[in-house]
Amino acid sequence: MKFSVFQVSRRGGREKNEDRMGYCYTRESGLFVLADGMGGHPEGEVAAQLALQTISALYQKQAKPIVRHVTEFLSVALMAAHHQIIRYASEKGMLDTPRTTLVAAVVQGSHATWVHCGDSRLYVVRNGQLLTRTRDHSYLEQQNAGVIRMDRINRNILFTCLGSPSKPVFDVTGPVQLQQGDKILLCSDGLWGTLGDSEIVRHLSGKPVSDAVPDMVEEALRKAGDHSDNVTVIAMEWETPDSEARLGVVTDSISDGVFASTIQAGVLDTMVDDLDDAAIERSIAEINEAIRRSASRKN
């Protein structure tokens, strides 16, 4: 596999950043995950991190070097993350549960398949055009799609998430055949809440993701001003096997059983209170610097 990838998370005008994201891969498969811990409930950052850790751990067990049944894996992994958050809250005796949105994609065999719950989105951009994007699990998006009609409710409210006492509602999409140069972007609502779909597509078109992602994040923060939400994005550009890799990750030389990950490991049965924003940002900075060094060597 060959792909370019870039990820960044910036705290806006919020007290803390509850967004989490990361990716991992084997020789023939890649997993990209983003979660946005929900305000109004305790420890949203814990819910988001538990979701990433759970899905990453399950992926590591199943990707040998590919996930055999991707749709089933994504459904099971999402529910496992949900149950892990519920378990965490129960063990701590919490009166309210931590909650998070989630979007996750598996890319392998030139196909992408993804799952989402809540309003963290996935976009696919091809040749400067929006090929598809996820539809939020909010009353507004469902009404626009003609699924429901509701007049006396805050239509931006989500009706599902991970960590809620009720069973999550989620959608699995794919597999979608990828073409050379296709770009897949996962983001929190801090990005799409400020930049429209056309602006996101414009940023992704004609620039490598290592340039497009930081540019669009900066624009979103600038437009939103002091009241900006946290903005978190992870984007990858697909390169066909016969293309000359320009930037990023080439997995052909990875041995069987080898698993690379940017998702911080953690023992799921223990507290994760020591996982602070500074540690996340240091990890992201190290990853992005490694990508830039790789690009410089190729040039």
Side-chain angles (χ1 to χ4, degrees):
M1 284 198 315
K2 301 176 184 178
F3 60 91
S4 306
V5 62
F6 197 89
Q7 60 181 14
V8 64
S9 186
R10 292 281 303 278
R11 184 169 65 87
R14 302 300 175 89
E15 181 180 345
K16 57 183 176 179
N17 190 350
E18 296 179 312
D19 298 352
R20 298 292 184 265
M21 83 296 192
Y23 63 93
C24 36
Y25 55 89
T26 65
R27 185 179 68 244
E28 299 179 30
S29 179
L31 171 72
F32 305 83
V33 193
L34 185 145
D36 181 355
M38 296 176 65
H41 302 279
E43 301 188 40
E45 71 282 2
V46 173
Q49 187 63 31
L50 284 174
L52 262 66
Q53 288 179 0
T54 302
I55 293 174
S56 174
L58 290 174
Y59 177 80
Q60 184 173 1
K61 290 180 180 179
Q62 294 198 26
K64 301 292 186 179
I66 65 169
V67 176
R68 293 294 177 184
H69 305 287
V70 177
T71 299
E72 178 183 347
F73 163 75
L74 288 171
S75 300
V76 169
L78 181 142
M79 288 304 301
H82 169 69
H83 289 303
Q84 185 61 45
I85 297 167
I86 295 293
R87 178 185 176 188
Y88 172 87
S90 175
E91 290 180 348
K92 292 194 69 176
M94 302 174 72
L95 298 178
D96 189 14
T97 54
R99 306 181 191 192
T100 185
T101 67
L102 180 79
V103 58
V106 171
V107 176
Q108 60 184 36
S110 298
H111 289 83
T113 306
W114 56 88
V115 65
H116 81 285
C117 176
D119 64 355
S120 290
R121 291 183 179 178
L122 182 144
Y123 291 77
V124 182
V125 174
R126 174 176 295 168
N127 296 326
Q129 302 292 322
L130 178 61
L131 184 66
T132 186
R133 76 159 171 86
T134 54
R135 297 295 167 183
D136 311 332
H137 294 115
S138 67
Y139 294 108
L140 176 61
E141 283 272 277
Q142 298 299 308
Q143 179 173 294
N144 289 344
V147 178
I148 59 173
R149 181 177 178 83
M150 305 192 76
D151 299 320
R152 297 183 178 180
I153 192 167
N154 183 341
R155 294 174 298 169
N156 290 313
I157 292 176
L158 299 181
F159 56 80
T160 190
C161 62
L162 272 62
S164 169
S166 58
K167 183 179 178 180
V169 175
F170 61 91
D171 295 311
V172 180
T173 305
V176 172
Q177 176 84 44
L178 297 178
Q179 298 180 9
Q180 172 67 27
D182 281 358
K183 293 172 182 175
I184 299 176
L185 178 140
L186 290 70
C187 66
S188 65
D189 63 339
L191 183 77
W192 66 257
T194 303
L195 301 183
D197 290 356
S198 61
E199 293 175 289
I200 292 173
V201 171
R202 174 178 58 81
H203 275 286
L204 285 174
S205 302
K207 291 189 291 187
V209 291
S210 57
D211 294 331
V213 170
D215 286 351
M216 74 173 72
V217 168
E218 288 299 328
E219 183 175 344
L221 290 168
R222 186 172 61 253
K223 280 190 171 183
D226 294 339
H227 301 291
S228 172
D229 197 352
N230 303 313
V231 182
T232 300
V233 179
I234 178 170
M236 65 88 71
E237 179 176 351
W238 177 253
E239 299 182 16
T240 55
D242 57 350
S243 67
E244 184 177 345
R246 297 174 309 188
L247 173 66
V249 179
V250 179
T251 66
D252 297 350
S253 62
I254 295 178
S255 304
D256 284 340
V258 174
F259 173 84
S261 179
T262 69
I263 297 173
Q264 288 189 277
V267 180
L268 296 177
D269 296 329
T270 63
M271 298 290 194
V272 292
D273 294 339
D274 57 343
L275 190 62
D276 58 12
D277 290 343
I280 294 288
E281 291 173 2
R282 283 196 301 272
S283 177
I284 293 169
E286 291 169 0
I287 294 160
N288 290 338
E289 181 58 30
I291 291 172
R292 290 193 182 96
R293 287 199 300 269
S294 177
S296 297
R297 287 196 297 270
K298 288 182 173 64
N299 292 334

